Amino acid sequence: MARRDLWPRVEPLLSRVERPARYLNHEWGSSAPVAEGDFAFCMIYPDTYELGQANQAVRILVNAVNATDGMGAERAFLPAVDMADLMREEGVPLFSLESCRPVADFDVVGITLPHELAATNVLETLDLAGIPLRTADRAEGDPIVLAGGPCAYNPEPYAPFFDVILVGEGEEQLPETLALIRELRASGAPRAEILREVVRRVGGAYVPSLYRWRSDEEAQAAGSWAEPLFDDVPCVVHKRVFEGFADSPALEPMIVPYTEVVHDRLNVEILRGCARGCRFCQAGMMYRPVRERSADNIVDAVARGLAETGYDEVSLTSLSSTDHSRIAEILSRVNADCAGAGVRVSVPSQRLDAFGVEMAELVAGQKKGGLTFAPEAGTQRLRDVINKNVTEDDLFAAIDAAFAAGWRRCKLYFMVGLPTETDDDIKGIASLAQRAYDRAKAAVPADQRGSVRMSVSCAVFVPKAQTPFQWDGQISPEETLRRVGLLKRSVKYKAVDVHYHDPATSFVEAVMSRGGREVADWVEAAWRRGARFDAWTELFNEEAWTGAAGELGLDPAAIAQAEFPTDYVLPWAHITAAVSPKFLARERERAAAGITTPDCTFENCSACGACPTLGVDIELQQEREGKEASPARNPYRTVAHPRQAEPPRPGRAGQREGAAGKEAIR
């Protein structure tokens, strides 16, 4: 079939829509279209260009495929509402950016699942592309449709819509999957055989159509909701991890857009994973173990990236960037390299207990915008429940350092509805914010105190799969509004602003996070009633979701708000992030008792199971410093430049069979 180019049909539409630059190719740094004869992959972010082009996963995966011989990757994004409606009106299907080729003409299509509220956008994407929504309805000539990303750790609400769902880090996993599909298609293998071979031969690949969905009673008896239909289909799908991350180049080839996008700057990933162990945090569980890139790698990447892109801002990204064992050295070297160039260096994820005077002086140079700190809870009791492992003294020390160093605006991030939360905890948020404001004013000269701003942002707790709080329910939207009202009444300072997330969208997020395969029908019914772009406040269509639930006879509140014992088998039990269910259950018990668990990068192994299960160690550049630091040694931790000689460590085989390893695996 001749390659189709939709540009002659797309170009006339651009004068009729907002931000036409969203749909243009040839940005600085973009790759050439897939060459004739190459295996063609289209990577899609299911939201607008402004959000998707800034996504690091999209960039990493497109680069990984384009670096593979005989393969080519192009990008596509979901058009905004005006363009999507116009494309339907004019009969123009979804197209790739690089060649304006119909997405349905690619061999394989990949859609990342960045968050739960993107679910209806997935269906909008498939429908615009002209690809049948459900894998059961796809023909032999249709593209194989892949998914991956954070929501893959509970894939069931998306299961009927994807041929393959890849769980874990994709740098090696995605090219390996595409190579296998290319090989099998070249041999004439039918679609069903391709899918079965992928699940057999690619680690971390989940093919929902190869599993029967059990009833609740069957699932509790069997220990899993998903029953393999064949003996060679795995009962449990283990995530893949990119073992070479720490030694891989920190600079990924990067595109400079024509139009403004979110996080419009050079992004350099300095480490992957976080072992702080916050009990609500899915990312902290699913990206283990911690792996740091070297200071030389990072500093070189910043220098080359700024030179190649022309950006005047660089962000050193990770889940907890100030935890990097050599962050002070990295910031000092980058600031020295950028001196006089007007470059802003930012560290977007800052721990309260790691933001001292030195860090305040190193971050952001002369260009100081706002800072965000996340105490998460208003009282120490509740911070211990969630294992935040920070105190109000940590917050006040960070505030003192930041405002003395020149900052004048700060946002404090909290959650409402956390397990065991009481009204006293809500009032504690107000008290903590007001005292933080007092500290900020005291830290600046008297003539500048009028410029001090403090805001409070409250998200609604959403129980996430693969976390210790996965068995806990979400409070109702009505109760959320009551608690927010209590908080606002408790804040007596006019200078402290309170903002909160919409509880209706958080409710949908909780259902998507906790639901089983039955939730997929709810997603499709809501989409058919007009739901799309649910993460956009002005476009969220609550009536579509409530109407869809009534149509199906589904009780979404029972899914979002139910609380279960830790021996209850949840709908994602057949997917594992390598953190053992025993560890998660133990952490929930410790939460109820208010007992904290130390970060294993500072102290002993916490027996979460990730390192021995994956066969991958924690990789640090040097031993981490801080109040958690301990002379104890972790057998799953390697340190590139230890400050002092460490006792001999057993070989990998020995340590995997040791007592700590046995405990962690159970």
Side-chain angles (χ1 to χ4, degrees):
M1 181 176 66
R3 176 174 298 188
R4 294 186 289 168
D5 180 357
L6 294 175
W7 180 247
R9 298 172 62 190
V10 171
E11 185 179 19
L13 307 182
L14 300 185
S15 62
R16 301 164 61 184
V17 298
E18 293 183 344
R19 301 188 181 182
R22 291 166 165 164
Y23 313 108
L24 298 178
N25 180 24
H26 300 301
E27 313 106 307
W28 180 266
S30 61
S31 57
V34 176
E36 287 286 353
D38 278 357
F39 192 77
F41 172 69
C42 188
M43 182 74 210
I44 302 177
Y45 189 91
D47 212 311
T48 62
Y49 178 90
E50 291 94 324
L51 291 173
Q53 183 50 45
N55 183 266
Q56 281 186 292
V58 171
R59 179 178 47 160
I60 289 169
L61 295 176
V62 167
N63 289 338
V65 174
N66 279 328
T68 305
D69 289 342
M71 291 184 192
E74 299 187 18
R75 297 163 293 148
F77 305 92
L78 182 61
V81 168
D82 59 345
M83 182 66 165
D85 290 347
L86 188 57
M87 288 166 61
R88 284 196 174 95
E89 181 184 321
E90 299 294 336
V92 177
L94 185 65
F95 52 90
S96 68
L97 211 60
E98 277 76 5
S99 65
C100 214
R101 182 180 184 180
V103 165
D105 286 2
F106 283 78
D107 296 296
V108 177
V109 170
I111 304 177
T112 187
L113 303 176
H115 54 79
E116 289 83 358
L117 292 176
T120 52
N121 281 7
V122 169
L123 302 191
E124 180 81 346
T125 298
L126 292 170
D127 185 67
L128 273 176
I131 299 171
L133 299 186
R134 296 190 175 233
T135 184
D137 299 324
R138 291 178 193 141
E140 290 292 337
D142 287 322
I144 301 289
V145 183
L146 311 179
C151 294
Y153 288 89
N154 176 18
E156 295 311 322
Y158 314 86
F161 312 125
F162 288 103
D163 299 312
V164 181
I165 298 175
L166 298 176
V167 182
E169 299 170 0
E171 285 95 332
E172 297 168 332
Q173 183 188 37
L174 177 60
E176 182 182 321
T177 302
L178 298 180
L180 179 58
I181 295 172
R182 176 180 61 181
E183 171 193 330
L184 294 170
R185 278 208 159 160
S187 70
R191 191 181 192 91
E193 181 181 332
I194 292 173
L195 299 183
R196 190 167 172 186
E197 286 299 301
V198 167
V199 79
R200 286 182 61 248
R201 295 166 58 181
V202 177
Y206 174 53
V207 176
S209 61
L210 298 180
Y211 297 79
R212 182 181 76 86
W213 194 246
R214 294 174 169 132
S215 68
D216 190 358
E217 183 179 357
E218 289 178 307
Q220 301 311 311
S224 175
W225 288 75
E227 178 186 4
L229 297 177
F230 304 96
D231 291 340
D232 56 356
V233 172
C235 295
V236 177
V237 177
H238 294 265
K239 79 167 184 182
R240 282 280 293 272
V241 66
F242 177 35
E243 294 188 36
F245 171 81
D247 296 323
S248 63
L251 181 64
E252 285 280 345
M254 189 168 177
I255 292 169
V256 181
Y258 289 130
T259 186
E260 186 176 358
V261 299
V262 300
H263 310 308
D264 195 10
R265 59 201 178 204
L266 175 67
N267 293 299
V268 175
E269 188 179 13
I270 67 172
L271 69 90
R272 188 169 292 179
C274 176
R276 289 287 185 170
C278 297
R279 291 170 177 142
F280 57 82
C281 182
Q282 186 183 56
M285 299 297 162
M286 71 187 188
Y287 289 118
R288 294 186 181 204
V290 172
R291 290 146 289 158
E292 295 180 346
R293 283 175 164 146
S294 72
D296 288 345
N297 188 354
I298 294 163
V299 173
D300 179 64
V302 170
R304 289 190 296 122
L306 292 172
E308 291 174 9
T309 63
Y311 275 118
D312 61 1
E313 181 177 357
V314 57
S315 179
L316 305 180
T317 65
S318 76
L319 293 176
S320 187
S321 293
T322 48
D323 274 345
H324 194 293
S325 61
R326 304 185 81 164
I327 187 63
E329 175 194 341
I330 292 165
L331 286 170
S332 296
R333 291 172 61 184
V334 169
N335 284 333
D337 288 350
C338 297
V343 173
R344 178 179 175 182
V345 183
S346 63
V347 181
S349 46
Q350 294 147 354
R351 285 277 303 187
L352 286 174
D353 50 350
F355 196 88
V357 173
E358 181 185 22
M359 195 61 58
E361 293 174 348
L362 289 171
V363 172
Q366 299 303 309
K367 298 182 178 181
K368 294 179 173 63
L371 276 176
T372 299
F373 292 126
E376 309 290 0
T379 63
Q380 193 59 48
R381 182 201 69 82
L382 191 52
R383 285 192 291 274
D384 289 344
V385 167
I386 65 176
N387 205 51
K388 186 65 182 177
N389 280 321
V390 296
T391 66
E392 64 178 42
D393 286 342
D394 292 325
L395 172 62
F396 295 152
I399 293 288
D400 291 345
F403 281 79
W407 273 274
R408 295 296 177 263
R409 293 184 290 113
C410 182
K411 178 188 290 185
L412 302 180
Y413 184 89
F414 297 90
M415 280 189 279
V416 297
L418 287 161
T420 80
E421 184 180 74
T422 67
D423 283 0
D424 285 342
D425 297 309
I426 296 294
K427 294 175 184 177
I429 295 174
S431 172
L432 188 61
Q434 290 175 163
R435 286 180 289 138
Y437 175 74
D438 289 339
R439 294 293 290 251
K441 287 185 66 177
V444 305
D447 62 340
Q448 297 181 26
R449 289 173 183 169
S451 63
V452 171
R453 296 289 181 271
M454 187 73 62
S455 65
V456 170
S457 178
C458 290
V460 183
F461 165 69
V462 176
K464 296 284 188 175
Q466 316 287 344
T467 70
F469 288 159
Q470 62 184 348
W471 294 280
D472 290 276
Q474 184 184 63
I475 61 175
S476 69
E478 295 76 18
E479 176 61 12
T480 298
L481 292 175
R482 186 195 72 80
R483 296 190 193 189
V484 169
L486 174 61
L487 171 60
K488 296 177 80 170
R489 291 191 301 273
S490 300
V491 173
K492 305 304 182 184
Y493 289 9
K494 291 184 178 179
V496 177
D497 297 320
V498 176
H499 308 275
Y500 63 95
H501 292 196
D502 177 15
T505 57
S506 297
F507 173 72
V508 172
E509 185 181 352
V511 178
M512 293 297 301
S513 178
R514 305 188 85 207
R517 201 169 288 192
E518 75 283 355
V519 173
D521 294 335
W522 188 48
V523 173
E524 183 173 348
W527 172 75
R528 293 192 183 280
R529 287 171 171 264
R532 55 180 172 171
F533 290 98
D534 295 298
W536 295 58
T537 303
E538 67 274 22
L539 295 176
F540 177 68
N541 186 344
E542 186 176 3
E543 291 182 0
W545 289 99
T546 56
E551 171 190 328
L552 297 171
L554 183 73
D555 182 5
I559 298 171
Q561 297 163 17
E563 184 171 326
F564 301 107
T566 51
D567 60 356
Y568 182 82
V569 178
L570 295 165
W572 49 89
H574 54 293
I575 306 294
T576 176
V579 175
S580 74
K582 180 178 179 180
F583 170 79
L584 298 177
R586 187 168 66 242
E587 281 296 289
R588 192 195 191 198
E589 293 166 2
R590 291 170 71 88
I595 301 171
T596 61
T597 299
D599 183 337
C600 64
T601 63
F602 291 96
E603 296 195 10
N604 283 326
C605 173
S606 58
C608 77
C611 294
T613 299
L614 296 167
V616 178
D617 281 345
I618 296 166
E619 296 181 76
L620 304 181
Q621 290 303 304
Q622 66 184 30
E623 289 187 22
R624 290 181 166 181
E625 293 183 316
K627 64 182 182 181
E628 303 92 339
S630 163
R633 295 292 177 257
N634 185 333
Y636 301 107
R637 181 176 60 187
T638 61
V639 181
H641 306 286
R643 290 190 177 87
Q644 58 187 13
E646 294 193 32
R649 300 173 68 248
R652 181 168 296 276
Q655 67 190 49
R656 299 309 175 204
E657 296 170 1
K662 291 178 181 177
E663 171 63 21
I665 292 170
R666 287 201 297 267

